[in-house]
């Protein structure tokens, strides 16, 4: 059998069939983490009944998974760079499959939560390393297309989760939503094992050391920040302030540590490059904006427009479906037109979409909402494909894992921040502390204000992109832009 392992350098002689199978394995590896998030959301009411537990406890089935990903993703990316991305990815797939089985066999809620944290560890490996393999398996001229395809697979996982989860629970019970990951994970393992490039073994004396202290400090800071943004369900109190203070302290200690160690987790010099820092900042802003659609839309569709739960689910599935359909074409556009230009085009389309979400639903109801989402989500896919390509292009092989981890981390931080901040904006604009009891007019006002704020954030992202484009047109400065 001829495989990508025959040519780990990807110098152009890797057989096209092997590239396709390798990309198929990467697509499955990208699908699993997003499916693991969205398929579990639909099960929360069922889990609350099965385990006779309040929502505050059951929500940890979701939070444990997301926190594990957020805390571990950068360190795992760096571990892949040092120990070998293929072997770490294969180990991550094993962890994900075993943890999925433990979730499906869970006899208690706390067992399930612990297993979900382990599943989050496996998901962090997949999210950190999948994109890092693109440069080793796909010809350079097709990088945008491959990254766009991976983005489409992530969107498919998000879109497929609620419907697949609902069917699985109705026919087979709640355990099936976790067990379904097992055959998918085993197939991904088979493809990755046979078709991904074999890791190059280097003498231990030549390998950089793993920054354990820096990894622990960053993980602690990220954990404190994530908890500050999720505990309290939008109500900011003393505990949230304490956690934010701990997060800030952890980041300060992390910076001091990274400046002194011989082999830092994240070389701080990388952030002096405006283009690299701008790409990460824009990714966080855009993820914050997109999270607003998930936080606000269910309340607006149900309370302001009076849709029942089934219809709300159908309308909200339109966004992920559009994203799934436009991900691969967005990647092809990046290959043709260049990443910096497509980043700006995608952000402009997102700006139009956020303004439309602020205006059109009030004028045309469900049709206005769908029209606005149909503009916003393709813009998001254009941005994602272009921004991810811009970040990953030109990164040295020994840093692709940690850079891919940073890219995924910036997205996760945006999602976590968006859930808290945009939810708070929504509640403030609706002039209520409990949005579930707000009247239709208050919810409609909250929708308009929230997406007006989202439009302003998009304008900030556009300004960053334009500045980055202007700097890119100048002669390149001395120094390495890699992380």
């Amino acid at each position: 059998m001829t495989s990508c392992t025959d040519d780990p350098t990807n110098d152009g002689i890797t057989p096209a069939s092997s590239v396709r199978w390798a990309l198929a394995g990467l697509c499955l590896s990208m699908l699993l983490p997003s499916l693991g998030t969205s398929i579990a959301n639909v099960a929360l009411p069922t889990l609350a009944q099965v385990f006779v537990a309040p929502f505050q406890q059951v929500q940890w089935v979701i939070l444990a998974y997301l926190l594990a990903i957020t805390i571990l993703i950068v360190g795992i990316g760096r571990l892949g760079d040092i120990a070998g991305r293929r072997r770490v990815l294969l180990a991550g797939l094993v962890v994900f499959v075993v943890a999925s089985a433990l979730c499906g066999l869970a006899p208690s809620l706390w067992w399930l939560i612990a297993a979900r944290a382990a599943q989050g560890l496996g998901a962090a490996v997949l999210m950190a390393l999948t994109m890092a393999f693109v440069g080793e398996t796909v010809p350079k001229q097709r990088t945008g297309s491959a990254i766009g395809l991976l983005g489409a697979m992530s969107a498919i996982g998000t879109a497929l989760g609620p419907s697949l989860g609902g069917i699985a629970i109705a026919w087979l019970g709640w355990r099936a939503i976790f067990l379904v990951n097992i055959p998918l994970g085993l197939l991904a393992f088979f493809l990755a094992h046979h078709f991904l490039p074999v890791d190059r073994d280097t003498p231990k004396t030549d390998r950089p050391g793993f920054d354990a202290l820096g990894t622990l400090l960053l993980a602690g800071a990220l954990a404190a920040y994530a908890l500050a943004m999720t505990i309290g369900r939008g109500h900011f109190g003393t505990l949230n302030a304490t956690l934010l203070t701990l997060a800030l302290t952890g980041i300060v200690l992390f910076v001091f540590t990274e400046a002194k160690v011989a082999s830092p987790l994240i070389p701080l010099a990388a952030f002096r490059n405006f283009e690299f820092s701008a790409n990460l900042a824009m990714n966080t802003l855009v993820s914050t904006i997109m999270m607003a659609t998930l936080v606000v839309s269910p309340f607006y569709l149900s309370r302001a427009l009076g849709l029942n739960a089934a219809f709300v689910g159908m309308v909200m599935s339109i966004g992920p479906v559009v994203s799934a359909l436009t991900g691969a074409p967005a990647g092809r556009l990046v290959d043709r037109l260049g990443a910096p230009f497509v980043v700006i085009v995608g952000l402009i389309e997102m700006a139009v979409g956020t303004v439309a979400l602020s205006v059109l639903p009030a004028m045309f109801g469900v049709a206005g909402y769908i029209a606005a989402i149909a503009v916003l989500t393709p813009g998001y896919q254009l941005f994602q494909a272009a921004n991810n390509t811009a970040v990953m292009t030109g990164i040295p092989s020994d840093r692709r894992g940690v850079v891919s981890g940073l890219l995924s981390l910036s997205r996760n931080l945006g999602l976590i921040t968006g859930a808290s901040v945009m939810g708070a904006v929504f509640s403030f604009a609706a002039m209520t502390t409990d949005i579930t009891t707000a009247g239709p007019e208050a919810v409609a006002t909250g929708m308009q204000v929230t997406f007006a704020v989202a439009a302003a954030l998009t304008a900030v992202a556009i300004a960053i992109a334009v500045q980055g484009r202007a700097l890119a047109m100048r002669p390149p400065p001395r120094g390495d832009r890699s992380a």
Side-chain angles (χ1 to χ4, degrees):
M1 178 184 293
T2 304
S3 76
C4 285
T5 60
D6 297 332
D7 179 27
T9 63
N10 189 33
D11 60 7
I13 63 173
T14 301
S17 59
S18 294
V19 171
R20 286 194 292 270
W21 284 114
L23 194 55
L26 295 179
C27 284
L28 271 177
S29 298
M30 183 63 77
L31 173 76
L32 287 169
S34 58
L35 184 63
T37 301
S38 61
I39 200 172
N41 284 330
V42 74
L44 292 185
T46 302
L47 294 175
Q49 293 179 351
V50 169
F51 294 112
V52 193
F55 176 79
Q56 287 79 3
Q57 292 180 8
V58 174
Q59 70 175 342
W60 278 95
V61 172
I62 304 297
L63 292 179
Y65 181 82
L66 296 177
L67 285 171
I69 293 174
T70 303
I71 293 168
L72 299 171
I73 197 164
V74 176
I76 285 173
R78 183 57 180 151
L79 181 63
D81 290 334
I82 296 173
R85 282 186 286 273
R86 180 175 175 270
R87 59 174 62 97
V88 175
L89 180 70
L90 292 175
L93 284 167
V94 171
V95 170
F96 191 88
V97 168
V98 172
S100 296
L102 292 175
C103 288
L105 298 173
S108 67
L109 178 61
W110 297 111
W111 173 301
L112 177 59
I113 290 171
R116 281 285 284 175
Q119 192 183 40
L121 167 60
V125 175
L126 305 184
M127 293 179 68
L129 298 181
T130 298
M131 200 174 300
F133 271 105
V134 170
E136 300 172 43
T137 56
V138 177
K140 187 176 181 180
Q141 65 270 21
R142 291 176 52 198
T143 298
S145 297
I147 288 179
L149 180 60
L150 293 180
M153 292 305 297
S154 179
I156 289 172
T158 302
L160 185 62
S163 56
L164 180 61
I167 293 171
I169 291 172
W171 290 1
L172 302 171
W174 67 268
R175 299 180 188 276
I177 68 171
F178 302 110
L179 298 178
V180 72
N181 291 316
I182 295 176
L184 294 175
L186 291 175
L187 178 58
F189 183 93
F190 172 83
L191 293 173
H193 183 268
H194 282 77
F195 297 104
L196 288 182
V198 172
D199 298 316
R200 292 181 175 180
D201 290 325
T202 57
K204 291 184 178 181
T205 55
D206 295 337
R207 294 181 187 176
F210 184 73
D211 181 13
L213 179 58
T215 301
L216 289 174
L217 287 172
L218 181 61
L222 292 173
Y225 179 79
L227 288 171
M229 292 294 104
T230 52
I231 287 178
R233 301 177 64 185
H235 302 289
F236 195 85
T238 303
L239 179 58
N240 304 81
T242 302
L243 288 168
L244 282 179
T245 302
L246 289 174
L248 180 60
T249 303
I251 289 297
V252 171
L253 293 174
F254 173 74
V255 170
F256 277 115
T257 300
E258 296 303 278
K260 295 180 179 180
V261 296
S263 179
L265 176 66
I266 305 172
L268 301 179
F271 295 99
R272 297 174 190 157
N273 181 281
F274 180 83
E275 184 182 357
F276 179 73
S277 299
N279 288 135
L280 297 182
M282 288 187 294
N283 205 35
T284 301
L285 281 172
V286 165
S287 298
T288 300
I289 293 162
M290 293 306 295
M291 191 63 185
T293 63
L294 301 178
V295 171
V296 175
S297 297
F299 293 104
Y300 179 78
L301 294 172
S302 61
R303 299 197 64 81
L305 298 185
L307 305 184
N308 60 38
F311 205 11
V312 168
M314 289 176 59
V315 173
M316 288 196 64
S317 69
I318 291 173
V321 169
V322 172
S323 290
L325 294 175
T326 56
R332 289 194 288 270
L333 279 177
V334 173
D335 287 336
R336 291 180 182 179
L337 303 178
F341 176 73
V342 177
V343 162
I344 295 174
V345 172
L347 288 173
I348 291 173
E349 187 172 351
M350 286 190 65
V352 174
T354 51
V355 171
L357 276 172
S358 181
V359 175
L360 294 185
M363 298 172 62
F364 303 107
V366 176
Y369 176 86
I370 293 174
I373 286 292
V375 174
L376 177 67
T377 48
Y380 172 66
Q381 284 296 350
L382 282 173
F383 169 81
Q384 281 288 299
N387 193 64
N388 291 347
T389 301
V391 171
M392 297 305 299
T393 299
I395 297 297
S397 179
D398 64 346
R399 283 284 169 180
R400 285 178 187 156
V402 71
V403 170
S404 178
L406 282 171
L407 195 56
S408 296
L409 174 63
S410 65
R411 177 179 178 271
N412 274 21
L413 290 179
L415 295 175
I416 291 169
T417 304
S420 177
V421 173
M422 301 306 276
V425 169
F426 183 43
S427 297
F428 178 79
M431 294 184 291
T432 180
T433 56
D434 186 3
I435 200 67
T436 61
T437 61
E441 291 184 2
V443 172
T445 300
M447 172 84 168
Q448 291 174 337
V449 173
T450 301
F451 283 102
V453 171
L457 293 177
T458 312
V460 173
I462 291 173
I464 295 173
V466 170
Q467 179 66 17
R469 175 77 166 166
L471 291 175
M473 300 295 288
R474 300 177 183 176
R478 293 182 181 181
D480 187 2
R481 70 176 289 270
S482 70

